[in-house]
Amino acid sequence: RVAMFGPFIGFFVRIGNLINSEILGSRSEVPWAFVFPRADSVPRHPVQLYEALAYLFIFIISFRYYLKHTGRLKPGALLGLVLVLVYSARFVLEFFKDKQSDVEIGMILNMGHLLSIPFILVGLFLLYRPVKQ
């Protein structure tokens, strides 16, 4: 049950990243692009806001899932759901982020993508593993 509060905490962390101009999005011409004066004067995707909203949405989904299935959840299912949703969202949103390291130059998938894949797989395992009663 503790797992479902991780995305709620992540919501506040990403709002802090937005305020501090951390984890910049890629350059963008969308009307809602942000300019981060601490970094540069280039309009960028507010990827911190995208992630914050995704995490808040995931918290609501997981909390409702928990309330609906109270007493019928197999061990680890809620953690599996949270892992799949959080890291799938992160995987998608990594495409909107600026490169964070020189190591990522020339890579099709960046480090955030590569680190998300194992957590998605573990989450799927926890959701769909057979549980002996």
Side-chain angles (χ1 to χ4, degrees):
R1 291 180 289 202
V2 173
M4 69 181 153
F5 291 99
F8 190 62
I9 294 165
F11 166 79
F12 292 106
V13 170
R14 289 301 179 233
I15 294 298
N17 293 142
L18 179 68
I19 292 167
N20 291 326
S21 301
E22 301 167 340
I23 310 174
L24 297 175
S26 57
R27 295 170 185 258
S28 176
E29 297 299 323
V30 295
W32 58 87
F34 280 30
V35 173
F36 296 94
R38 288 183 179 180
D40 53 29
S41 59
V42 176
R44 297 178 175 277
H45 279 287
V47 74
Q48 312 93 324
L49 190 57
Y50 300 164
E51 271 192 270
L53 294 174
Y55 292 162
L56 184 60
F57 186 63
I58 291 166
F59 166 70
I60 292 167
I61 289 171
S62 61
F63 190 68
R64 291 192 67 193
Y65 181 82
Y66 169 73
L67 292 176
K68 185 176 180 180
H69 296 93
T70 300
R72 299 187 321 255
L73 284 172
K74 63 182 177 182
L78 190 58
L79 173 61
L81 176 69
V82 169
L83 288 174
V84 168
L85 293 176
V86 166
Y87 286 98
S88 294
R90 179 178 173 176
F91 187 89
V92 170
L93 292 172
E94 285 292 325
F95 289 108
F96 296 95
K97 291 182 182 177
D98 226 8
K99 299 286 184 204
Q100 296 185 33
S101 169
D102 289 341
V103 174
E104 296 177 345
I105 295 173
M107 294 173 66
I108 295 171
L109 298 178
N110 67 26
M111 198 56 67
H113 290 117
L114 299 176
L115 293 173
S116 295
I117 293 170
F119 288 101
I120 294 169
L121 295 175
V122 168
L124 289 171
F125 171 76
L126 290 173
L127 272 173
Y128 295 109
R129 73 184 166 137
V131 177
K132 296 180 183 180
Q133 299 288 339

